[in-house]
């Protein structure tokens, strides 16, 4: 891992503010304002000043709807936030600043989560996803959207080709909108995590998350004023077995840091042979006096200062113990 200057975690791009008065409404709302349904329908005829892109939803101009109007129309068709409707999938990612998810347009569907008790059907550009696990929505640009991890899982669960979600997956993680483990946890709920295409997409997500986590680890060391470690090294016994790879190592204090980007095991699942071997090697390192500090990318995003303090405490404790001069440090 090579670096020229300390980096800070990227700040998610904020979507533009919602228009003050969206030009989309409903037949019922217009009727409440005194506009008869017959008048509304007449104005929505071809060539008229209004249009009806979805049943009961009225666009108050004749031109093509923009992305924000499409999302409002989808919400109004499904009953709105008051009825528990939440935008999810690629549209929710786009609202949260994931540019590779693509902006909503007339050629793409908008996924909307609704309570499982609702009896709505998908129609035109709106795909209705009934759920017994409604997420706590984020309110962005006046729209209730699913958190990025849930939006990614919903998008992945309904794409014919999961590989198409690789770039949005990588971008959402890079922007710090979600942690890979949160996406995996959501995918476990869909029951599709064991499908080969989905598993490959998740493996790609974990691989994509590592460079961003490494940059944040470097930032933690520099900004936390920690001593310079040996970066990305392997630990060995002299003329002996391999003890394991670590992301940072301080030989003077025998402290190692490992970024924990492994795919979480499902509850009750036995460890794989690779996991069992990694655990055995880590236990050997600890037995030799090496302090191994595991840090998840999520913990780094949440508070790199807290993680820096934990490493600093380990370095201080290690300085008071006998050294482990028999551990050989080699580039990996």
């Amino acid at each position: 891992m090579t670096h020229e200057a300390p980096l800070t975690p990227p700040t998610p791009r904020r979507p533009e503010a919602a228009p003050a008065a969206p030009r989309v409404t409903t037949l019922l709302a217009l009727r409440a304002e005194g506009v008869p349904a017959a008048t509304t329908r007449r104005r929505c005829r071809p060539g008229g000043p209004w249009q009806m892109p979805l049943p009961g939803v009225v666009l108050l101009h004749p031109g093509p709807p923009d992305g924000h109007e499409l999302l409002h129309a989808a919400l109004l068709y499904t009953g709105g936030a008051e009825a528990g409707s939440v935008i999810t999938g690629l549209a929710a990612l786009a609202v949260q600043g994931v540019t590779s998810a693509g902006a909503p347009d007339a050629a793409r569907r908008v996924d909307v989560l609704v309570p499982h008790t609702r009896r709505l059907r998908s129609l035109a550009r709106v795909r209705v996803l009934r759920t017994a696990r409604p997420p706590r929505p984020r309110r962005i640009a006046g729209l209730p959207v699913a958190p990025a991890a849930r939006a990614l899982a919903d998008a992945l669960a309904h794409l014919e080709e999961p590989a198409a979600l690789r770039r949005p997956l990588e971008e959402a993680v890079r922007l710090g909108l979600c942690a890979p483990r949160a996406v995996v946890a959501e995918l476990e709920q869909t029951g599709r995590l064991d499908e080969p295409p989905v598993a490959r997409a998740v493996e790609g997500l974990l691989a994509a998350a590592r460079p961003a986590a490494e940059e944040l680890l470097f930032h933690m060391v520099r900004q936390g004023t920690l001593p310079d470690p040996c970066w990305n090294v392997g630990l060995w016994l002299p003329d002996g077995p391999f003890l394991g790879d670590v992301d940072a190592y301080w030989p003077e204090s025998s402290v190692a840091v490992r970024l924990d980007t492994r795919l979480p095991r499902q509850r009750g699942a036995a460890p794989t042979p690779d996991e069992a071997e990694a655990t055995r090697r880590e236990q050997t390192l600890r037995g030799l006096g090496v302090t191994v500090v595991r840090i998840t990318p999520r913990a780094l995003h949440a508070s790199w200062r807290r993680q820096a303090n934990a490493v600093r405490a380990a370095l201080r404790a290690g300085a008071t113990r006998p050294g482990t001069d028999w551990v050989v440090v080699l580039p990996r």
Side-chain angles (χ1 to χ4, degrees), residues 73-97:
L75 282 170
L76 291 175
Y77 169 68
T78 56
E82 297 79 7
S85 299
V86 179
I87 295 170
T88 191
L90 293 175
L93 294 173
V95 171
Q96 295 176 72

Side-chain angles (χ1 to χ4, degrees), residues 271-289:
T272 66
D274 288 343
E275 289 172 335
E277 177 63 16
T279 299
R280 185 190 65 77
R281 287 176 176 172
E282 188 164 309
Q283 290 172 343
T284 300
L285 279 173
R286 296 182 191 277
L288 292 171

Side-chain angles (χ1 to χ4, degrees), residues 6-303:
L7 299 175
T8 56
T11 302
R13 183 178 65 83
R14 291 293 181 185
E16 296 180 0
R23 298 179 296 172
V24 58
T25 185
T26 65
L27 272 172
L28 291 177
L30 288 170
R31 187 181 302 169
E33 293 178 6
V35 181
T39 300
T40 298
R41 295 185 185 281
R42 184 175 65 252
R43 292 180 179 179
C44 289
R45 291 173 182 170
W50 296 350
Q51 53 186 304
M52 193 175 295
L54 291 161
V57 179
V58 180
L59 195 60
L60 301 177
H61 64 83
D66 61 27
H68 194 78
E69 290 169 341
L70 282 172
L71 297 180
H72 265 287
L75 282 170
L76 291 175
Y77 169 68
T78 56
E82 297 79 7
S85 299
V86 179
I87 295 170
T88 191
L90 293 175
L93 294 173
V95 171
Q96 295 176 72
V98 179
T99 57
S100 57
D105 58 45
R108 299 178 62 182
R109 283 191 169 187
V110 176
D111 291 332
V112 182
L113 291 167
V114 302
H116 71 285
T117 54
R118 302 282 305 283
R119 289 294 177 262
L120 283 169
R121 63 187 179 93
S122 299
L123 187 65
R125 59 194 71 166
V126 179
R127 176 161 50 193
V128 175
L129 306 178
R130 284 185 285 275
T131 179
R133 290 190 316 111
R136 177 176 295 179
R138 299 182 62 195
R139 198 83 183 186
I140 301 178
L143 299 164
V145 299
R150 177 63 179 270
L152 283 164
D154 287 335
L156 190 58
H158 295 88
L159 281 179
E160 293 183 3
E161 181 46 65
L165 200 60
R166 178 178 177 180
R167 288 182 60 197
L169 278 168
E170 294 176 358
E171 186 179 355
V173 171
R174 178 175 56 82
L175 290 175
L177 294 173
C178 60
R181 286 170 176 250
V183 180
V184 172
E186 290 289 351
L187 283 171
E188 285 180 342
Q189 297 292 334
T190 69
R192 295 189 60 189
L193 190 57
D194 293 332
E195 296 180 13
V198 176
R200 284 194 296 269
V202 169
E203 289 171 1
L205 167 64
L206 296 176
R210 173 161 280 278
E214 288 177 342
E215 296 288 359
L216 195 49
L217 179 63
F218 180 76
H219 174 83
M220 180 202 79
V221 170
R222 288 290 181 264
Q223 298 302 314
T225 64
L226 297 174
D228 285 334
C230 301
W231 292 105
N232 276 345
V233 294
L235 304 182
W236 302 72
L237 284 177
D239 300 322
F242 174 60
L243 299 175
D245 290 324
V246 296
D247 295 282
Y249 185 63
W250 288 265
E252 299 82 1
S253 303
S254 301
V255 172
V257 166
R258 276 181 169 161
L259 287 170
D260 193 351
T261 58
R262 298 171 300 174
L263 184 68
R265 289 199 311 272
Q266 295 187 9
R267 184 176 300 176
T272 66
D274 288 343
E275 289 172 335
E277 177 63 16
T279 299
R280 185 190 65 77
R281 287 176 176 172
E282 188 164 309
Q283 290 172 343
T284 300
L285 279 173
R286 296 182 191 277
L288 292 171
V290 175
T291 300
V292 181
V293 181
R294 281 195 173 273
I295 303 178
T296 65
R298 181 177 182 179
L300 278 173
H301 277 293
S303 177

